[in-house]
Amino acid sequence: MKKIPNISFQDVENEHNFECLNLNKFFERLPEIVDHNPTLPHRIHFFALLIVTKGTGTHQIDLIDYPLKKGTVLKLSKGQVHSFEKNAKYEGFLILFTEEFVMYHFSKSSINIISHLYNYHITSPISENENLNKLFLEQLNAELSNTTSFAQNNIVASLINLYLLRLERENKEVSIQNNSKNYPLFIAFKNLVELNYTQTRNVKDYAEKLSITTKNLNEIVKEFTLDTTKTFIDNYVILEAKRAIVSTDLSFKEIAFEIGFDELTNFTKFFKKNVQLSPKAFKNK
């Protein structure tokens, strides 16, 4: 039974919680990877930055193909499903780092400002800034080439943190939003949805877990997404359903059960209401 592979972080020495991969070398290693096929959809349990320095191509994140060219950076968050194109012709670097790396080295204020770390539902993963990318890669590679390893993790983390903050500054609207006093509550709600969407899609249940009223929760979600709480929950369930339909060989009944529906008919009605297509029509499309 084919399911979306879940890929955890592993570096060579299993101690740094970050890794910088040259894409040319990474693409050469693709046939040697045994636990999954990177050119097929797979869910990552770490963060990644795909920085393109030469050539063009595409990269799929959550069923959307993003165009790549020199100066492009794609920001992938923990929990997202992505895949590399086959026979990729572009060059660059893939920066991987874990949630532990972020929590240990990034300040709380930085985490709140860098929206894409935990708020990928409402922010675009793609940016373009060739000069900023070049500066970051030069500093990062210089540090990784340093024969003195003292404080290297801290320095690398500072470089990644600074780079992400500078990328974030290009989207002032999001940065201002994330300074809202309600941002931590919104992130807590988002995390609860990701953990509990198979058990409940009831707004009241999430409000109770956060010890706030449904009205207050709705106001908070609207502040960041312009959608209602119910719409946000349903959209996440639909995203998980689409991921499963496109990227696995599970039957519709199995998918329905996995994402919290007792009956296939209820799942089909829910999917069609939100996508305007039946699961079968969506898969064929």
Side-chain angles (χ1 to χ4, degrees):
M1 183 181 296
K2 177 189 170 188
K3 294 187 177 182
I4 298 175
N6 290 288
I7 309 304
S8 299
F9 178 87
Q10 289 183 331
D11 67 7
V12 176
E13 298 177 0
N14 198 29
E15 61 180 20
H16 294 302
N17 282 330
F18 75 87
E19 189 171 7
C20 178
L21 301 173
N22 182 297
L23 285 175
N24 282 338
K25 294 179 180 179
F26 174 72
F27 292 146
E28 289 175 359
R29 285 170 38 196
L30 290 187
E32 303 171 9
I33 299 175
V34 295
D35 59 346
H36 71 290
N37 182 349
T39 65
L40 296 177
H42 54 284
R43 189 191 307 272
I44 58 173
H45 289 273
F46 47 87
F47 302 100
L49 298 171
L50 177 63
I51 303 175
V52 179
T53 58
K54 184 179 180 181
T56 60
T58 61
H59 192 88
Q60 187 180 94
I61 305 176
D62 286 332
L63 310 181
I64 298 175
D65 289 326
Y66 291 93
L68 304 177
K69 64 179 183 180
K70 184 179 180 181
T72 298
V73 55
L74 281 183
K75 299 165 284 184
L76 287 88
S77 187
K78 175 185 174 185
Q80 289 196 282
V81 174
H82 77 120
S83 61
F84 293 88
E85 69 176 316
K86 294 180 180 179
N87 303 315
K89 302 300 182 184
Y90 57 89
E91 298 178 12
F93 292 87
L94 186 63
I95 317 297
L96 313 177
F97 51 101
T98 66
E99 185 170 37
E100 289 76 17
F101 184 80
V102 170
M103 293 301 179
Y104 186 79
H105 293 291
F106 289 25
S107 69
K108 184 177 179 181
S109 60
S110 287
I111 293 172
N112 285 343
I113 291 173
I114 301 169
S115 64
H116 201 75
L117 285 175
Y118 292 103
N119 201 9
Y120 65 84
H121 303 84
I122 62 172
T123 61
S124 172
I126 192 167
S127 295
E128 291 182 10
N129 192 321
E130 185 178 344
N131 291 333
L132 181 57
N133 293 353
K134 183 178 179 181
L135 175 63
F136 167 64
L137 290 172
E138 286 176 349
Q139 293 177 332
L140 180 62
N141 285 316
E143 178 56 37
L144 294 178
S145 300
N146 196 316
T147 55
T148 303
S149 61
F150 176 76
Q152 188 177 74
N153 278 17
N154 299 71
I155 295 171
V156 167
S158 296
L159 291 173
I160 295 174
N161 187 6
L162 183 60
Y163 173 63
L164 290 173
L165 287 171
R166 284 172 168 166
L167 286 176
E168 199 68 43
R169 186 165 59 183
E170 295 183 354
N171 189 343
K172 294 180 181 179
E173 182 180 351
V174 172
S175 297
I176 293 169
Q177 262 193 333
N178 292 351
N179 287 326
S180 163
K181 66 178 182 180
N182 291 324
Y183 186 65
L185 266 175
F186 173 74
I187 294 301
F189 161 71
K190 181 193 74 70
N191 291 340
L192 282 173
V193 172
E194 292 178 357
L195 288 173
N196 299 282
Y197 74 94
T198 61
Q199 280 76 49
T200 179
R201 299 188 302 278
N202 191 313
V203 174
K204 185 178 179 181
D205 292 337
Y206 291 100
E208 289 178 350
K209 288 178 183 293
L210 294 168
S211 300
I212 59 177
T213 65
T214 55
K215 181 180 179 181
N216 192 4
L217 178 57
N218 207 46
E219 290 172 348
I220 291 171
V221 174
K222 279 188 173 182
E223 179 182 351
F224 293 95
T225 70
L226 304 181
D227 286 325
T228 65
T229 306
K230 180 62 175 170
T231 299
F232 183 93
I233 296 168
D234 288 349
N235 284 346
Y236 186 77
V237 175
I238 288 296
L239 175 59
E240 287 296 317
K242 286 180 175 178
R243 285 168 168 170
I245 290 171
V246 171
S247 307
T248 75
D249 60 3
L250 297 176
S251 68
F252 295 132
K253 185 175 181 180
E254 289 170 324
I255 292 171
F257 181 76
E258 283 214 343
I259 63 175
F261 290 85
D262 294 330
E263 298 289 340
L264 175 59
T265 53
N266 293 336
F267 167 66
T268 301
K269 289 178 182 177
F270 173 81
F271 191 92
K272 194 169 184 178
K273 176 183 177 183
N274 286 276
V275 184
Q276 284 74 55
L277 291 170
S278 67
K280 183 177 181 180
F282 175 77
K283 184 170 186 176
N284 290 337
K285 182 182 178 181

